[in-house]
Amino acid sequence: MSCILYNIAIEPLGNMLRASNIKGIQVPDLAKRILVTMFADDTLVYLSERDDFRDLEKIIDLFCLASTAKFNTEKQSTYP
């Protein structure tokens, strides 16, 4: 798939994340939270200690259902 087509296809996921209640990381003096980075076929979501991972899973599941995309959950990692 071309890069531009992939960007168009993945943008709804970014919109869903930005519209969610997931807090991400707040940095002093930064107007917006750090929530998601997307580059090529890599997506990285930043969760705060207060965020519930199940909220992220629900968003990903809905996106995959609507788009027929599949996430490689074996590469998924969490850090304490």
Side-chain angles (χ1 to χ4, degrees), residues 8-23:
I8 292 168
I10 199 70
E11 186 57 25
L13 176 61
N15 288 337
M16 292 169 68
L17 290 167
R18 288 186 289 272
S20 75
N21 291 327
I22 296 174
K23 304 287 184 228

Side-chain angles (χ1 to χ4, degrees), residues 27-50:
V27 177
D29 299 328
L30 204 62
K32 295 185 179 183
R33 66 188 184 213
I34 299 173
L35 182 60
V36 62
T37 57
M38 297 174 160
F39 181 77
D41 64 345
D42 291 327
T43 300
L44 180 61
V45 179
Y46 301 89
L47 301 177
S48 75
E49 292 176 349
R50 297 177 310 275

